[in-house]
Amino acid sequence: MANAALVSCSLNLLSGSRSCSKPSSLLKPSAFVSLQVSQSPFRKIHLNGDKRLRKYHTVYAMAVSMGQETRTQPGSGSDHSSNEASKPKKVMVIGGDGYCGWATSLHLSNKNYEVAVVDNLVRRSFDHQLGLDSLTPIASIHNRIRRWKSLTGKDIGLYVGDICDFEFLSEAFKSFEPDAVVHFGEQRSAPYSMIDRSRAVYTQHNNVIGTLNVLFAIKEFGEDCHLVKLGTMGEYGTPNIDIEEGFITITHNGRTDTLPYPKQASSFYHLSKVHDSHNIAFTCKAWGIRATDLNQGVVYGVKTEETAMHEELYNRLDYDAVFGTALNRFCVQAAVGHPLTVYGKGGQTRGYLDIRDTVQCIELAIANPAQRGEFRVFNQFTEQFSVNELAALVTKAGKKLGLDVRTVSVPNPRVEAEEHYYNAKHTKLAELGLEPHLLSDSLLDSLLNFAIQYKDRVDSKQIMPSVSWRKIGAKPKTVPA
């Protein structure tokens, strides 16, 4: 079925004026229809920043056909002959314009799945809102998809809209009819959720309500659809016992049961992921939904086989203190001669994985779906490192490139244990066939050289942390110029 928009409207983002035509029936594959104004109550929640940008958040729904026809290619995504349920052909990637989502969309398309991206593009507006930018220049989602089509001949469908708007999401589901939904479409930054009250509220509303809408859409329009949801290892916290994969068997007062592993979230973002997990588990039990919750560790790297094909396919690389992850940040800091910023004592230990393994894990989960009514949890990471260990690795790799790499301890803006026990299990994806790209000298060398290549784009004012867990307040926090 061709991807098609259902309502034709236009809206001037700066003036607020709009015009709409009557709803149309399903359009021809070559049709291009632009915007629908969301009726979601979420439109009443505005983020701080330039008033012109605030209007962006009231506009969501657009479905676009980027190609003349859908091609079905032989390969993993289209081979249904042996076990149709094991390899869904049509995959909807919610949040497909983001860091993990874009790499996943290209990877699945390259593996011959029929892919549609659903995204409200709000991550790009966060950069404008906070005065941030990706280290790598990134093309618009439309140009990205057109370039992919020109290089590979493969179509990726595009639905621009907010999943908090259930009317939009419903039409996207009915139009595309996914066999699997990969859900990255959430505000993903713990620091962002801790800036002020409005952003804490936005994070929980966007993440929890959006996921609830996805669950209802599956129930109503695709009851056999497999939900692959990106969770986070941060749901577990740092307990003084081993972290199991989602569930733990305990004996108490002579009775034994297997229960969800205890959650100890450390930000309003992480709490939203905990709420998601509970809602998904409940709907699996109550409605028979099939779901895989991927508790992902910290992702590093920027290149995959597909994103490296052309500069218009490049992924974003965040180095700032709000959206940047530890290893990526350290490599950029080393490239520009800024001391590596270790928070507090630096003993904070987490699970890490290469972005090439993120896309591999997603593919494995799709190809080996959960059963109807099953809620399963995979811990998605490949290695554990402390912050100090990462800093030492980057220092060593940087010196080989002639960089003068230094480390500095800065006051920890977070509320977290800085020295702790950490041992998390992560066997289930390996059992499905994950072949990890472990952190190596060659990978660090590649990442450092990539950072050096684009170091002129670094804004040094964005490196030091400015968001405090303890100082968050109700008053909206503005961003100095």
Side-chain angles (χ1 to χ4, degrees):
M1 180 183 295
N3 303 320
L6 300 175
V7 180
S8 175
C9 299
S10 63
L11 178 70
N12 186 313
L13 293 179
L14 299 184
S15 70
S17 62
R18 62 170 173 160
S19 61
C20 297
S21 64
K22 294 180 180 180
S24 64
S25 59
L26 285 177
L27 304 176
K28 296 179 180 179
S30 60
F32 182 100
V33 180
S34 55
L35 298 174
Q36 174 180 314
V37 179
S38 169
Q39 299 303 314
S40 167
F42 175 68
R43 72 181 193 272
K44 299 177 182 178
I45 297 179
H46 297 296
L47 305 182
N48 300 294
D50 190 323
K51 291 182 179 180
R52 295 176 301 169
L53 292 174
R54 294 185 190 182
K55 293 183 181 297
Y56 174 90
H57 298 283
T58 69
V59 183
Y60 300 115
M62 178 171 69
V64 183
S65 174
M66 300 303 298
Q68 295 295 315
E69 62 183 24
T70 300
R71 289 182 172 84
T72 300
Q73 304 285 345
S76 62
S78 57
D79 182 6
H80 292 245
S81 58
S82 59
N83 186 352
E84 183 155 348
S86 70
K87 294 181 179 178
K89 178 184 177 182
K90 303 176 73 171
V91 182
M92 175 181 285
V93 182
I94 301 175
D97 187 47
Y99 175 55
C100 293
W102 176 239
T104 298
S105 297
L106 292 187
H107 179 77
L108 293 176
S109 179
N110 202 30
K111 293 293 185 178
N112 298 318
Y113 288 91
E114 183 179 342
V115 176
V117 165
V118 174
D119 205 301
N120 63 1
L121 309 183
V122 72
R123 174 64 188 88
R124 294 173 183 257
S125 78
F126 290 162
D127 282 349
H128 295 294
Q129 183 190 124
L130 299 176
L132 309 175
D133 203 357
S134 165
L135 177 74
T136 48
I138 53 174
S140 72
I141 185 62
H142 301 85
N143 287 341
R144 282 174 154 184
I145 290 175
R146 290 188 185 104
R147 177 59 61 184
W148 178 248
K149 167 77 171 179
S150 71
L151 291 172
T152 67
K154 298 176 185 293
D155 288 309
I156 293 179
L158 176 62
Y159 296 79
V160 174
D162 190 349
I163 63 172
C164 288
D165 179 351
F166 189 69
E167 181 181 359
F168 158 76
L169 184 62
S170 298
E171 298 302 341
F173 256 78
K174 289 186 287 186
S175 172
F176 185 65
E177 299 179 328
D179 298 299
V181 172
V182 181
H183 183 14
F184 293 109
E186 301 196 314
Q187 193 294 101
R188 66 171 179 85
S189 165
Y192 187 92
S193 75
M194 302 300 293
I195 292 176
D196 55 29
R197 184 206 64 85
S198 67
R199 289 169 172 107
V201 170
Y202 168 81
T203 298
Q204 296 227 345
H205 187 284
N206 179 79
N207 294 2
V208 177
I209 302 304
T211 298
L212 273 173
N213 280 348
V214 171
L215 292 168
F216 272 95
I218 291 173
K219 181 179 185 294
E220 294 296 318
F221 309 115
E223 62 180 13
D224 202 46
C225 180
H226 177 210
L227 173 62
V228 179
K229 168 67 165 57
L230 193 74
T232 171
M233 290 296 295
E235 291 186 33
Y236 299 122
T238 55
N240 198 37
I241 59 173
D242 290 355
I243 296 173
E244 305 296 332
E245 295 199 65
F247 300 90
I248 185 169
T249 299
I250 62 173
T251 299
H252 179 64
N253 291 340
R255 301 187 69 84
T256 299
D257 202 351
T258 298
L259 302 170
Y261 196 93
K263 311 287 187 177
Q264 299 184 79
S266 59
S267 73
F268 290 119
Y269 155 74
H270 290 104
L271 284 163
S272 74
K273 293 288 194 176
V274 172
H275 303 328
D276 286 342
S277 295
H278 290 157
N279 286 336
I280 296 169
F282 170 72
T283 56
C284 288
K285 181 188 298 184
W287 302 341
I289 284 177
R290 59 175 82 220
T292 302
D293 202 2
L294 297 174
N295 284 339
Q296 181 168 255
V298 184
V299 184
Y300 59 81
V302 65
K303 290 184 177 181
T304 64
E305 176 186 343
E306 292 81 17
T307 64
M309 290 171 62
H310 192 279
E311 61 183 9
E312 280 194 309
L313 302 180
Y314 279 0
N315 208 347
R316 66 180 307 118
L317 182 66
D318 298 306
Y319 64 88
D320 59 89
V322 177
F323 288 100
T325 57
L327 185 59
N328 287 351
R329 278 171 48 77
F330 283 172
C331 287
V332 173
Q333 289 167 13
V336 299
H338 191 287
L340 309 188
T341 53
V342 171
Y343 292 175
K345 296 178 181 179
Q348 301 94 319
T349 302
R350 304 289 187 268
Y352 289 81
L353 76 161
D354 191 304
I355 193 166
R356 291 173 294 178
D357 293 336
T358 291
V359 302
Q360 189 184 168
C361 290
I362 297 295
E363 184 189 3
L364 285 169
I366 294 171
N368 301 275
Q371 300 300 311
R372 287 293 300 273
E374 180 185 10
F375 173 69
R376 62 182 187 179
V377 180
F378 297 163
N379 290 344
Q380 183 171 302
F381 70 96
T382 58
E383 297 178 275
Q384 294 182 178
F385 297 101
S386 71
V387 174
N388 284 331
E389 288 171 334
L390 289 180
L393 289 170
V394 172
T395 299
K396 178 182 176 182
K399 287 182 177 179
K400 290 182 179 179
L401 296 176
L403 300 174
D404 180 19
V405 184
R406 294 171 293 116
T407 299
V408 62
S409 174
V410 302
N412 194 345
R414 304 185 178 212
V415 177
E416 63 183 0
E418 296 177 3
E419 295 177 317
H420 56 85
Y421 176 80
Y422 196 81
N423 184 39
K425 306 293 181 60
H426 55 113
T427 61
K428 294 181 179 178
L429 284 161
E431 291 167 359
L432 291 180
L434 173 63
E435 298 178 357
H437 298 81
L438 301 180
L439 187 57
S440 63
D441 290 343
S442 61
L443 185 279
L444 283 170
D445 181 80
S446 173
L447 192 53
L448 281 166
N449 276 302
F450 201 81
I452 292 169
Q453 178 184 351
Y454 290 100
K455 69 178 183 179
D456 290 342
R457 289 176 53 86
V458 175
D459 179 1
S460 60
K461 297 191 299 294
Q462 305 300 337
I463 291 177
M464 294 299 291
S466 60
V467 178
S468 170
W469 263 230
R470 297 189 187 279
K471 294 181 180 179
I472 183 174
K475 183 178 180 181
K477 186 174 180 180
T478 57
V479 180

